[in-house]
């Protein structure tokens, strides 16, 4: 029953679609509950598609915002650029 109460409290909190929710730890502190209880409530809300859990980003109400993924520069291109810089220094 406690999990249902936590779910209801979170659902009634007025989060907007895509809004980042407090971490499990912060929510547990605010509600005076264990981290495990809040974590279970977040997982159930995710299973019910009310929140989105994004690894490394957090928990978002409704749909998670899209994150821009930037292509990482390859190690090879960094090393090649360094060689070119060093090569130009030796020519001058």
């Amino acid at each position: 029953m406690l999990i249902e109460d936590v779910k209801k409290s979170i659902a009634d909190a007025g989060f907007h679609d895509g809004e980042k929710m407090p971490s499990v730890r912060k929510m547990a502190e605010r509600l005076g509950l264990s981290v495990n209880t809040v974590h279970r409530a977040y997982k159930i809300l995710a299973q019910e598609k009310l929140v989105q859990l994004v690894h490394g980003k957090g928990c978002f109400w409704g749909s998670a915002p899209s994150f821009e993924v930037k292509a990482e520069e390859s190690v090879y291109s960094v090393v090649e650029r360094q060689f070119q810089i060093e090569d130009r220094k030796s020519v001058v």
Side-chain angles (χ1 to χ4, degrees):
M1 184 63 176
L2 183 61
I3 297 292
E4 290 300 318
D5 293 337
V6 174
K7 281 176 42 184
K8 183 169 178 12
S9 295
I10 292 169
D12 292 344
F15 289 107
H16 301 288
D17 190 46
E19 185 177 354
K20 186 172 183 179
M21 298 174 60
S23 69
V24 170
R25 189 173 309 280
K26 284 186 181 180
M27 185 67 83
E29 287 174 11
R30 288 182 188 168
L31 298 176
L33 299 169
S34 76
V35 172
N36 288 336
T37 300
V38 175
H39 181 69
R40 280 188 276 163
Y42 273 30
K43 284 181 74 170
I44 291 169
L45 288 168
Q47 290 170 349
E48 294 174 357
K49 307 281 190 221
L50 294 173
V51 300
Q52 300 294 317
L53 300 174
V54 181
H55 184 73
K57 300 290 184 191
C59 183
F60 297 86
W61 185 258
S63 58
S66 61
F67 297 99
E68 185 178 321
V69 178
K70 295 180 181 177
E72 293 287 329
E73 189 173 17
S74 76
V75 173
Y76 300 111
S77 61
V78 172
V79 171
E80 183 178 350
R81 189 172 56 246
Q82 281 302 115
F83 278 128
Q84 290 172 353
I85 291 169
E86 292 300 317
D87 192 40
R88 281 187 220 132
K89 286 181 183 176
S90 66
V91 171
V92 175

